Amino acid sequence: MISGGHDTGFNKLKTINRRMFIFSAAKAVIFFGIVGRLFSLQISENKKYLTLSDKNRLRETRLPPIRGEFKDYFGNTIAGNLKVYQLHVIPEQVEDFRSLLIRLRDILKFDNKTLSKIFAKKKTQKPWETIVISENLSWDEFSKINFYLHELPGAKPVITVGRSYPYGESYTHILGYVSQASVNDLVNNKVIKERNVPGLRVGKSGLEKKFENELIGTNSIQRYEVNAFGKRINQIDFKEGSRGQTINLTIDTEIQKLTSDLLRDKAGSISVMDIYTGDIIAMNSSPSFDPNLFLYGIDEKLWNSIKSDPLNPLLNKTVSGLYSPGSTIKPIVALSALENDVIRPDKQVKCEGKVEMYGEKYHCWKKKGHGFMSLKNSIKQSCDIYFYELARLLGVDRLSITAKKFGLGTKVLGEYFENEKEGIVPSTEWKKEILGQNWYLGETFITGIGQGYIQTNPLQLCLMTAQLANGGYKIYPKIRVGQNQKSYESIKRIMKENEMEAREEAKEKDNALIKATEEFLKVEKKEHQPLYRNPENIKFVLDAMFKSTNEIYGTSYSSRIDDPKYQFAGKTGTSQVKRITEEERELDLDISQIPYKNRDHAWFIAFGPYENPRYAMSVLVEHGGSGSKAAAPIAQKLMRAVVDRHEERTKRNIMV
Amino acid sequence: MYSNFSFTNQQTFFQKLRSIDYLLLICILLVGSISCFAMYSTDGGEVLYHTKNHAIRFALFFTLMLVISFINIKMWFSLSYLFYGVTLILLLWASLYGITASGSQRWINLYFINLQPSELMKIAIIVCFAKYYHRAQIHSINKFTNIFVPLVILIIPIFLVITQPDLGTSILIALSGIMVLWLAGINIKYFVIASITFVISAPFIISFLKPYQKLRILSFFNPDRDPLGAGYQIIQSKIAVGSGGLFGKGFLKGTQGYLEFLPEKHTDFIFTLYSEEFGFLGSLLLLILYVIIIYRIINIGMISRSYFSKLFCYGFASSIFIYIAVNMSMVLGLLPIVGSPLPIMSYGGSSMLATMIGFGIVMSSRIYNNQIIS
């Protein structure tokens, strides 16, 4: 059969050629469509797609920033960064993960629980993500790993940086500690959120938390090219971050360590302050704990034991603990009485051990009574009867004004410690406002001996002592070495000038008490303003405190130091934590017979050296019994050390 | 008229060699070598598995093409139905005993090669129709039997391929077949009726699609709907092409490619990898090579004396164009993603084999362009 006749063959060819032509036209249209599309993607929208492709392939990794250090006054590092030896494994690079781990277990001797934890972790990660087998290897373990490294394919010994507190528990209450950033940290602090990377350690309490934004430093940034599965292919670029700021404190580590020793096995607090510059030389709270434990997550048992310790190691008692000041308030009560011309210093009151006023019995700590007392003697021997009378004459409102002037009832360090408490300096107004009740006169009496509503923290008492000891001038306590630190000499000069001024004004407006209070508002703006009306009143109180420590019958006589280099003045305090019933008073129990929780708090405030005082301190021993037996001996040891360090500190002053 | 030229059937080898379309041959060789470079790039700049296999296959099938070229077109005409029949049996075999990979049963293990009969069917259907209509008279073409029989011939393989399931290939087979039917002269009204029926029944067809196929269609209309899922391929291939720019990122420097962002970069998406590295100019060059190839094939069809050769060349040229157009439109985001390789460029033995067989028959038509098939 031939391929159709001429006619049909011709028609067939005509059809196919015509249709092919139509096709070709369609093809040309489609072809230009495709070219147009290519043009629009590759030429018109090239920039957009280039950006998208870079976004696809480039990843930034931020490395943990290097945290700033804390240094003490002498430049010793008290919170630093330590080389930490770690062991990392990248599962992808290991041929036989299980046998590697078993070999590592034999070398490092970790238990099976840890082993199964690592296996569990491996399952949750991508195979090229690092598993940290051990966060903190000892040098011995680290060198052992390096020794066996040839038979541990895939194991990577790594040296990184971790926080270290070389003085352990001594600084815990000041510095706080660092640990892994929590969700709360990220929510509350934008800087942390910005710089957060897995494994970032941030301050959890104390100054580590307070200065977080200065300490944290900035991240180093690595730019990597990654593939579609997120695996790093190669490093493109590395931008080094800056280290966090170093923060210098006014603390002297030598003294700080000593305070730890002095408070060992006790609950309590010690503060030491320069009475002119306001530098806090030492500040400790006991018991404490080792902040290094928190770096890699503390184990639960230990944490629970710290949390449930009845002596409360987590509380910074120096700023957050509130106590009745007891007899340590007496210098202020006496000063207030003198300043307000309530009594003359030679006023006599007979102490018979107890007194009945307005139908209520009030007791002196000395059951037999002190006999006839003058004001000075009543401070020296801490006679309660005299101060009931004094308080009665003075009234709580005038007392509260003086007490507040000298630093009670307000935060000492302001915002440095987020848990600092301001305490309570009661007044009739305060009671009306807070408790909605009228003030009873009986409450005035016990306020006069530092009991009742009045509450202070140990640092406030230290500041109060310092402001008395420097002659009655306001000082500005600080724990961080500031930018424009005034020298002792210039502060002393300012105080001297202020004194001259005050004396002249006093001469002019001797009797004008009202005007004097007006003046008070004016001098408020002055630096290191005088807190007294008459400087002689301060001298009187300081002399009484000197006698209390250095004359026989003084309450802290047994803790005195005769060497004038160290000689100090002080005032004991014994604050009741519980009302003593008549029966208990009759029993006259020895301290060991009273349950711990009911024992009195022992207080001692002191300043020295007496001839030319520079330092003030407060010592608290919780439930330690009497101030003279439990607290004063501590102050005695501490004063020696503080005075001994004075020369070093002065030298350092000049250098700073 | 025909008998005057019948003596040319007896050509010498030298004459045959001279009558080869060298431009077509060179273009095929050029695309082939471009594809080898692209393959080298997908292997990350090393001669690895894909590059090696692709180059060997290209060399082997290119040789096969030459062999086919030198055999008289009459021979291919007489083997046409057999070719279709064998391919259909292989297709059936694949559906029954084939190898399943990525959810689709489309390969036959022939020990030296995993054959995908559906690829061969793309050629077989053209060959088969070319022979069928070679014999048909123009006035009988629109008769019921001359429409019904080809439709059965077409629908059986489409059904087999669609159930593998392999939507892409079945669409391509269907398109190839329908184009040949059109070229053969079937009345235009049937095409109009068929397309109206198709548009109306499209919603029903969609409801028969597999969920992943529906997703692909949805993500075609809005790739950002699920950028990590079904839309991922479209987005990434557009990024690759778009970021290439005018001159491209440079050979072996296509980040989308070597960082594995491109899906199926050896096969369906090979063009995006090439386009990323060689840019708009490179892509245009490749397109022009394809245009020349298609043009030469049409040209051969025009000078062929036999209707069989003519219909085959026209059909094959149109099919090649459709393969290219569908593949490119797909990777450029103009069509939904369906599996469709780019001729010669894409990795895959069966596709290359089918294409080369097609080129072989075209070339045989060229050498024996005066051959009259009775």
Side-chain angles (χ1 to χ4, degrees), chain A residues 1 4 8 12-13 15-17 19-20 23 27 30-31 34-35 37-39 41-43 46 49-50 52-53 56-57 225-229 233, chain B residues 133-134 136-137 179 182 185-186 236 238-239 241-243 245 249 255-256 258-261 275 279-280 291 298 307 310-311 314 318 321 332 374:
Chain A
M1 187 184 166
T8 57
K12 237 171 134 182
L13 289 180
T15 308
I16 193 171
N17 283 334
R19 291 197 170 181
M20 191 62 224
F23 253 161
K27 278 176 196 167
I30 293 172
F31 173 80
I34 288 172
V35 172
R37 176 67 171 181
L38 269 175
F39 186 87
L41 285 178
Q42 296 197 295
I43 312 293
N46 176 238
Y49 286 110
L50 262 181
L52 284 173
S53 120
N56 258 349
R57 74 188 176 100
E225 195 168 57
V226 297
N227 71 7
F229 312 105
I233 305 299
Chain B
Y133 285 106
H134 177 78
Q137 306 282 326
M179 278 185 321
W182 157 269
I186 288 184
Q236 293 301 340
K238 272 162 78 179
I239 291 174
V241 173
S243 63
K249 292 179 180 169
T255 52
Q256 289 284 100
Y258 83 80
L259 297 172
E260 321 273 341
F261 288 101
S275 188
F280 181 67
V291 168
I298 293 172
Y307 189 78
K310 214 177 258 296
L311 191 51
Y314 289 173
S318 304
F321 178 81
L332 296 179
S374 57

Coordinates of all heavy atoms in Angstrom, one line a residue, chain A residues 1 4 8 12-13 15-17 19-20 23 27 30-31 34-35 37-39 41-43 46 49-50 52-53 56-57 225-229 233, chain B residues 133-134 136-137 179 182 185-186 236 238-239 241-243 245 249 255-256 258-261 275 279-280 291 298 307 310-311 314 318 321 332 374:
Chain A
M1 N 0.8 -1.2 0.0 CA 0.0 0.0 0.0 C 0.9 1.2 0.0 O 1.8 1.3 0.8 CB -0.9 -0.1 1.3 CG -1.9 1.0 1.3 SD -2.8 1.0 2.9 CE -3.6 2.5 2.9
G4 N -1.2 6.7 0.7 CA -2.3 7.5 0.3 C -2.1 7.9 -1.2 O -1.1 7.7 -1.8
T8 N -4.9 12.7 -1.3 CA -5.0 12.6 0.1 C -3.6 12.9 0.7 O -3.5 13.5 1.8 CB -5.5 11.3 0.6 OG1 -4.6 10.3 0.0 CG2 -6.9 11.0 0.1
K12 N -2.9 15.6 3.6 CA -2.3 15.2 4.9 C -1.1 16.1 5.2 O -1.0 16.5 6.3 CB -1.9 13.7 4.8 CG -2.5 12.8 5.8 CD -2.2 11.4 5.4 CE -1.7 10.6 6.6 NZ -1.4 9.2 6.3
L13 N -0.3 16.2 4.2 CA 0.9 17.0 4.4 C 0.6 18.5 4.6 O 1.2 19.1 5.5 CB 1.8 16.9 3.1 CG 2.5 15.6 3.0 CD1 3.4 15.6 1.7 CD2 3.4 15.2 4.2
T15 N -2.1 19.6 6.1 CA -2.6 19.6 7.4 C -1.5 19.7 8.5 O -1.4 20.5 9.3 CB -3.5 18.4 7.7 OG1 -4.5 18.4 6.7 CG2 -4.2 18.6 9.1
I16 N -0.6 18.7 8.3 CA 0.5 18.5 9.3 C 1.4 19.7 9.3 O 1.8 20.3 10.4 CB 1.3 17.2 9.1 CG1 2.1 17.0 10.4 CG2 2.1 17.2 7.9 CD1 2.8 15.6 10.4
N17 N 1.7 20.3 8.1 CA 2.6 21.4 8.1 C 1.9 22.7 8.6 O 2.5 23.5 9.4 CB 3.0 21.7 6.6 CG 4.1 20.7 6.2 OD1 4.8 20.2 7.1 ND2 4.2 20.5 4.9
R19 N -0.5 22.7 10.9 CA -0.6 22.5 12.3 C 0.7 22.7 13.0 O 0.8 23.2 14.1 CB -1.3 21.2 12.7 CG -2.7 21.2 12.2 CD -3.6 20.1 12.8 NE -5.0 20.4 12.5 CZ -6.0 19.6 12.9 NH1 -5.7 18.6 13.7 NH2 -7.2 19.9 12.6
M20 N 1.8 22.2 12.3 CA 3.1 22.4 12.9 C 3.5 23.9 13.0 O 4.1 24.3 14.0 CB 4.2 21.7 12.1 CG 5.5 21.5 12.7 SD 5.4 20.6 14.2 CE 6.4 21.6 15.3
F23 N 1.8 25.3 16.0 CA 2.5 24.8 17.1 C 3.8 25.7 17.3 O 4.1 26.1 18.5 CB 3.0 23.4 16.9 CG 2.2 22.4 17.7 CD1 2.2 21.1 17.4 CD2 1.5 22.9 18.9 CE1 1.5 20.2 18.2 CE2 0.8 22.0 19.6 CZ 0.8 20.6 19.3
K27 N 5.0 27.8 20.5 CA 6.2 27.5 21.1 C 7.0 28.8 21.3 O 7.6 29.0 22.4 CB 7.1 26.5 20.3 CG 6.7 25.1 20.5 CD 7.5 24.2 19.5 CE 6.9 22.8 19.4 NZ 7.5 22.1 18.3
I30 N 5.6 30.6 24.2 CA 6.0 30.0 25.5 C 7.5 30.3 25.8 O 7.9 30.6 26.9 CB 5.7 28.5 25.5 CG1 4.2 28.3 25.5 CG2 6.3 27.8 26.7 CD1 3.8 26.9 25.2
F31 N 8.3 30.1 24.7 CA 9.7 30.4 24.9 C 10.0 31.8 25.4 O 10.8 31.9 26.4 CB 10.4 30.1 23.6 CG 11.9 30.5 23.6 CD1 12.8 29.6 24.1 CD2 12.3 31.7 23.1 CE1 14.2 30.0 24.1 CE2 13.7 32.1 23.1 CZ 14.6 31.2 23.6
I34 N 9.1 32.1 29.1 CA 10.1 31.5 30.0 C 11.3 32.5 30.1 O 11.8 32.7 31.2 CB 10.6 30.1 29.5 CG1 9.5 29.1 29.8 CG2 11.9 29.7 30.2 CD1 9.7 27.8 29.2
V35 N 11.8 33.0 29.0 CA 12.9 34.0 29.0 C 12.5 35.2 29.8 O 13.3 35.7 30.7 CB 13.3 34.4 27.6 CG1 14.3 35.5 27.6 CG2 13.9 33.2 26.8
R37 N 10.4 35.3 32.3 CA 10.4 34.9 33.7 C 11.8 34.9 34.2 O 12.1 35.3 35.3 CB 9.7 33.5 33.8 CG 9.7 32.9 35.2 CD 8.9 33.8 36.1 NE 8.7 33.1 37.4 CZ 8.0 33.5 38.4 NH1 7.4 34.7 38.3 NH2 7.9 32.8 39.5
L38 N 12.7 34.3 33.4 CA 14.1 34.2 33.8 C 14.6 35.7 34.1 O 15.3 35.9 35.1 CB 14.9 33.6 32.8 CG 15.2 32.1 32.9 CD1 15.9 31.6 31.6 CD2 15.9 31.7 34.1
F39 N 14.3 36.6 33.1 CA 14.7 37.9 33.2 C 14.2 38.6 34.5 O 14.9 39.2 35.3 CB 14.2 38.7 32.0 CG 14.8 40.1 31.9 CD1 16.0 40.4 31.4 CD2 14.1 41.2 32.5 CE1 16.5 41.6 31.3 CE2 14.6 42.5 32.5 CZ 15.8 42.7 31.9
L41 N 13.2 37.2 37.3 CA 13.8 36.6 38.5 C 15.3 37.0 38.6 O 15.7 37.4 39.7 CB 13.8 35.1 38.5 CG 12.4 34.4 38.7 CD1 12.6 32.9 38.6 CD2 11.9 34.7 40.1
Q42 N 16.0 36.9 37.5 CA 17.5 37.0 37.6 C 18.0 38.4 37.5 O 19.0 38.8 38.0 CB 18.2 36.1 36.6 CG 17.9 34.7 36.8 CD 18.8 33.8 36.1 OE1 18.8 33.7 34.8 NE2 19.6 33.0 36.8
I43 N 17.2 39.3 36.8 CA 17.7 40.6 36.6 C 16.9 41.6 37.5 O 17.5 42.3 38.3 CB 17.6 41.1 35.1 CG1 18.2 40.0 34.2 CG2 18.3 42.4 34.9 CD1 19.7 39.8 34.3
N46 N 16.8 40.3 41.2 CA 18.1 39.7 41.7 C 18.5 40.0 43.1 O 18.8 39.1 43.9 CB 19.2 40.1 40.7 CG 20.5 39.6 41.1 OD1 21.5 40.3 41.4 ND2 20.7 38.3 41.2
Y49 N 16.5 38.2 45.7 CA 16.8 36.7 45.9 C 18.2 36.5 46.4 O 18.5 35.5 47.0 CB 16.5 36.0 44.5 CG 15.1 35.8 44.3 CD1 14.4 36.5 43.3 CD2 14.3 34.9 45.0 CE1 13.1 36.4 43.1 CE2 13.0 34.8 44.8 CZ 12.3 35.5 43.8 OH 11.0 35.3 43.7
L50 N 19.1 37.5 46.1 CA 20.4 37.4 46.7 C 20.4 37.4 48.2 O 21.0 36.7 48.9 CB 21.3 38.5 46.1 CG 22.3 38.2 45.0 CD1 23.1 39.4 44.6 CD2 23.2 37.0 45.3
L52 N 17.8 36.7 50.0 CA 17.2 35.5 50.5 C 18.2 34.4 50.5 O 18.2 33.5 51.5 CB 16.0 35.1 49.6 CG 14.7 36.0 49.9 CD1 13.7 35.6 48.8 CD2 14.2 35.7 51.3
S53 N 19.1 34.3 49.5 CA 20.0 33.2 49.5 C 21.0 33.4 50.6 O 21.5 32.4 51.2 CB 20.6 33.1 48.1 OG 22.0 33.2 48.1
N56 N 19.6 32.3 53.8 CA 19.5 30.9 53.8 C 20.8 30.3 54.3 O 20.8 29.4 55.2 CB 19.4 30.3 52.4 CG 18.0 29.9 52.0 OD1 17.2 29.8 52.9 ND2 17.8 29.7 50.8
R57 N 22.0 30.9 53.9 CA 23.2 30.2 54.1 C 24.0 30.7 55.2 O 24.9 30.0 55.7 CB 24.1 30.2 52.8 CG 24.7 31.5 52.5 CD 25.3 31.5 51.2 NE 25.8 32.9 50.9 CZ 27.1 33.2 51.0 NH1 28.0 32.3 51.4 NH2 27.5 34.5 50.8
E225 N 28.8 29.7 57.4 CA 27.9 29.2 56.3 C 27.4 27.9 56.7 O 28.1 27.0 57.2 CB 28.8 29.1 55.1 CG 28.0 29.0 53.8 CD 28.8 29.1 52.6 OE1 29.8 28.3 52.4 OE2 28.6 30.0 51.8
V226 N 26.0 27.8 56.6 CA 25.4 26.5 57.0 C 24.7 25.9 55.8 O 24.4 26.6 54.9 CB 24.4 26.7 58.1 CG1 25.1 27.2 59.4 CG2 23.3 27.6 57.7
N227 N 24.5 24.6 55.9 CA 23.8 24.0 54.8 C 22.3 23.9 55.2 O 21.9 24.4 56.2 CB 24.3 22.6 54.4 CG 24.1 21.6 55.5 OD1 23.4 21.8 56.4 ND2 24.7 20.4 55.3
A228 N 21.5 23.3 54.3 CA 20.0 23.3 54.5 C 19.6 22.6 55.8 O 18.6 22.9 56.3 CB 19.4 22.6 53.3
F229 N 20.5 21.8 56.3 CA 20.1 21.1 57.5 C 20.7 21.8 58.8 O 20.6 21.3 59.9 CB 20.6 19.6 57.5 CG 20.3 18.9 56.2 CD1 21.3 18.7 55.2 CD2 19.0 18.6 55.9 CE1 21.0 18.2 54.0 CE2 18.7 18.0 54.7 CZ 19.7 17.8 53.8
I233 N 29.3 24.7 57.8 CA 30.2 24.3 56.7 C 31.6 25.0 56.9 O 32.6 24.3 57.0 CB 29.6 24.5 55.3 CG1 28.3 23.9 55.2 CG2 30.6 24.0 54.3 CD1 28.3 22.4 55.3
Chain B
Y133 N -0.9 6.7 11.9 CA -1.5 7.7 11.0 C -0.8 7.7 9.6 O -1.3 8.3 8.7 CB -1.4 9.1 11.6 CG -2.5 9.2 12.7 CD1 -2.2 9.2 14.0 CD2 -3.9 9.3 12.3 CE1 -3.2 9.2 14.9 CE2 -4.9 9.3 13.2 CZ -4.5 9.3 14.5 OH -5.5 9.3 15.4
H134 N 0.4 7.1 9.5 CA 1.1 7.0 8.3 C 0.2 6.3 7.3 O 0.1 6.6 6.1 CB 2.4 6.2 8.4 CG 3.1 6.0 7.2 ND1 3.9 6.9 6.5 CD2 3.2 4.9 6.4 CE1 4.4 6.5 5.4 NE2 4.0 5.2 5.3
A136 N -3.2 5.9 7.6 CA -4.6 6.4 7.6 C -4.7 7.4 6.4 O -3.9 8.2 6.1 CB -4.9 7.1 8.9
Q137 N -5.9 7.4 5.8 CA -6.3 8.3 4.8 C -6.8 9.6 5.4 O -7.4 9.5 6.5 CB -7.4 7.7 3.9 CG -7.0 6.4 3.3 CD -6.1 6.5 2.1 OE1 -6.2 7.4 1.3 NE2 -5.2 5.5 2.0
M179 N -0.6 15.8 21.2 CA 0.0 16.7 20.2 C 0.1 16.0 18.8 O -0.1 16.5 17.8 CB 1.3 17.2 20.6 CG 1.1 18.4 21.5 SD 2.7 19.1 22.0 CE 3.7 17.7 22.2
W182 N -3.2 15.8 17.2 CA -3.5 17.1 16.6 C -2.8 17.3 15.3 O -3.3 17.6 14.2 CB -3.1 18.2 17.6 CG -2.8 19.5 17.0 CD1 -1.6 20.0 16.6 CD2 -3.7 20.6 16.7 NE1 -1.7 21.2 16.1 CE2 -3.0 21.7 16.2 CE3 -5.1 20.7 16.9 CZ2 -3.6 22.8 15.8 CZ3 -5.7 21.9 16.5 CH2 -4.9 23.0 16.0
G185 N -4.1 15.5 12.2 CA -5.2 16.1 11.5 C -6.6 15.9 12.1 O -7.6 16.1 11.4
I186 N -6.6 15.4 13.3 CA -8.0 15.2 13.9 C -8.7 16.5 14.0 O -8.1 17.5 14.4 CB -7.8 14.5 15.3 CG1 -7.4 13.0 15.0 CG2 -9.1 14.5 16.1 CD1 -7.3 12.2 16.2
Q236 N 12.8 27.6 47.3 CA 14.3 27.5 47.2 C 14.8 27.5 45.7 O 15.8 28.1 45.5 CB 14.7 26.2 47.8 CG 14.5 26.1 49.3 CD 15.3 27.2 50.1 OE1 16.2 27.8 49.6 NE2 14.9 27.5 51.3
K238 N 13.3 29.2 43.3 CA 13.3 30.6 42.8 C 14.4 31.4 43.4 O 15.0 32.2 42.7 CB 11.9 31.2 43.3 CG 10.8 31.0 42.2 CD 9.5 31.2 42.8 CE 9.1 32.7 43.0 NZ 7.7 32.8 43.5
I239 N 14.8 31.1 44.7 CA 15.9 31.8 45.3 C 17.2 31.5 44.5 O 18.0 32.4 44.2 CB 16.1 31.4 46.8 CG1 14.9 32.0 47.6 CG2 17.4 31.9 47.3 CD1 14.9 31.6 49.0
V241 N 17.6 30.5 41.4 CA 17.6 31.2 40.0 C 17.8 32.7 40.2 O 18.6 33.3 39.6 CB 16.3 30.8 39.3 CG1 16.2 31.6 38.0 CG2 16.2 29.3 39.0
G242 N 17.0 33.3 41.1 CA 17.0 34.7 41.2 C 18.3 35.2 41.7 O 18.8 36.3 41.2
S243 N 18.9 34.5 42.6 CA 20.2 35.0 43.2 C 21.4 34.8 42.1 O 22.4 35.4 42.4 CB 20.5 34.3 44.5 OG 20.7 32.9 44.3
G245 N 21.5 36.1 39.1 CA 21.8 37.4 38.5 C 22.1 37.2 37.0 O 21.8 36.2 36.4
K249 N 26.7 33.0 39.9 CA 27.6 33.0 41.0 C 29.0 32.4 40.7 O 29.9 32.5 41.5 CB 27.0 32.3 42.2 CG 25.8 33.1 42.8 CD 25.2 32.3 44.0 CE 24.0 33.1 44.6 NZ 23.3 32.2 45.5
T255 N 25.6 28.7 46.0 CA 25.4 28.3 47.4 C 24.2 27.5 47.6 O 24.1 26.6 48.4 CB 25.4 29.5 48.3 OG1 24.4 30.4 47.8 CG2 26.7 30.2 48.3
Q256 N 23.1 27.8 46.9 CA 21.9 27.1 47.1 C 22.1 25.6 46.7 O 21.5 24.7 47.3 CB 20.8 27.7 46.2 CG 20.3 29.0 46.6 CD 19.3 28.9 47.8 OE1 19.7 29.1 48.9 NE2 18.1 28.5 47.5
Y258 N 25.3 23.8 46.6 CA 26.2 23.0 47.3 C 25.9 23.0 48.8 O 26.4 22.1 49.5 CB 27.7 23.3 47.1 CG 28.3 24.5 47.8 CD1 28.7 24.3 49.1 CD2 28.5 25.7 47.2 CE1 29.3 25.4 49.8 CE2 29.0 26.8 47.9 CZ 29.4 26.6 49.2 OH 30.0 27.6 49.9
L259 N 25.1 23.9 49.3 CA 24.6 23.8 50.7 C 23.3 23.1 50.8 O 22.6 23.1 51.8 CB 24.5 25.2 51.3 CG 25.8 26.0 51.3 CD1 25.6 27.4 51.8 CD2 26.8 25.3 52.3
E260 N 22.9 22.4 49.8 CA 21.8 21.4 49.8 C 20.4 22.1 49.9 O 19.4 21.4 50.3 CB 21.9 20.4 50.9 CG 23.3 19.9 51.2 CD 23.6 18.7 50.3 OE1 22.7 18.1 49.8 OE2 24.8 18.4 50.1
F261 N 20.3 23.4 49.6 CA 19.0 24.0 49.8 C 18.1 23.6 48.6 O 16.9 23.5 48.7 CB 19.1 25.5 49.8 CG 19.7 26.0 51.1 CD1 21.0 26.4 51.1 CD2 18.9 26.1 52.2 CE1 21.5 26.9 52.4 CE2 19.4 26.5 53.4 CZ 20.7 26.9 53.5
S275 N 21.4 27.5 36.5 CA 21.1 28.9 36.3 C 21.7 29.7 37.5 O 22.0 30.9 37.3 CB 19.6 29.0 36.4 OG 19.2 30.3 36.0
G279 N 23.9 32.1 35.7 CA 23.1 33.3 35.6 C 22.2 33.4 34.4 O 22.0 32.3 33.7
F280 N 21.7 34.6 34.1 CA 20.8 34.7 33.0 C 21.4 34.4 31.6 O 20.8 33.7 30.8 CB 20.3 36.2 33.0 CG 19.3 36.5 31.9 CD1 18.0 36.0 32.0 CD2 19.6 37.4 30.9 CE1 17.1 36.3 31.0 CE2 18.7 37.7 29.9 CZ 17.4 37.2 30.0
V291 N 16.5 25.4 21.6 CA 15.7 26.0 20.5 C 16.3 25.5 19.1 O 15.6 25.0 18.3 CB 15.7 27.5 20.5 CG1 15.1 28.0 19.2 CG2 14.8 28.0 21.7
I298 N 12.5 19.8 13.6 CA 11.4 20.2 12.7 C 11.9 20.3 11.3 O 11.2 19.8 10.4 CB 10.8 21.6 13.2 CG1 10.2 21.5 14.6 CG2 9.8 22.1 12.2 CD1 9.7 22.8 15.2
Y307 N 5.6 10.2 5.5 CA 4.7 10.7 6.5 C 5.1 10.3 7.9 O 5.1 11.1 8.8 CB 3.3 10.3 6.2 CG 2.3 11.1 7.0 CD1 1.9 12.4 6.7 CD2 1.7 10.5 8.1 CE1 1.0 13.1 7.4 CE2 0.8 11.2 8.9 CZ 0.4 12.5 8.5 OH -0.5 13.2 9.3
K310 N 8.0 12.4 9.1 CA 7.5 13.7 9.3 C 6.7 13.9 10.6 O 7.0 14.7 11.5 CB 6.6 14.1 8.1 CG 6.6 15.6 7.7 CD 5.7 15.8 6.5 CE 6.4 15.9 5.2 NZ 7.3 17.0 5.1
L311 N 5.8 12.9 10.8 CA 4.9 13.0 12.0 C 5.8 12.7 13.2 O 5.6 13.4 14.3 CB 3.8 12.0 11.9 CG 2.7 12.1 12.9 CD1 2.2 13.5 13.0 CD2 1.6 11.1 12.7
Y314 N 8.0 15.9 13.9 CA 7.2 17.0 14.4 C 6.7 16.7 15.9 O 6.8 17.5 16.8 CB 5.9 17.3 13.6 CG 6.2 17.9 12.2 CD1 5.3 18.1 11.2 CD2 7.5 18.4 11.9 CE1 5.5 18.7 10.0 CE2 7.8 19.0 10.7 CZ 6.8 19.1 9.8 OH 7.0 19.7 8.6
S318 N 7.9 18.6 19.2 CA 6.9 19.2 20.1 C 7.0 18.6 21.5 O 6.9 19.3 22.5 CB 5.5 18.9 19.6 OG 5.4 19.4 18.3
F321 N 10.0 20.0 23.3 CA 9.6 21.4 23.7 C 8.8 21.3 25.0 O 9.0 22.1 25.9 CB 8.9 22.1 22.6 CG 8.5 23.5 23.0 CD1 9.5 24.5 23.0 CD2 7.3 23.8 23.5 CE1 9.2 25.8 23.4 CE2 7.0 25.1 23.9 CZ 7.9 26.1 23.9
L332 N 10.7 27.5 37.7 CA 10.6 28.9 37.8 C 9.3 29.4 38.5 O 9.0 30.6 38.6 CB 10.7 29.6 36.4 CG 12.0 29.4 35.7 CD1 12.0 30.0 34.3 CD2 13.2 29.9 36.5
S374 N 6.3 2.2 2.3 CA 5.0 1.8 1.7 C 4.1 1.2 2.8 O 4.6 0.7 3.8 CB 5.3 0.8 0.6 OG 6.0 -0.3 1.1

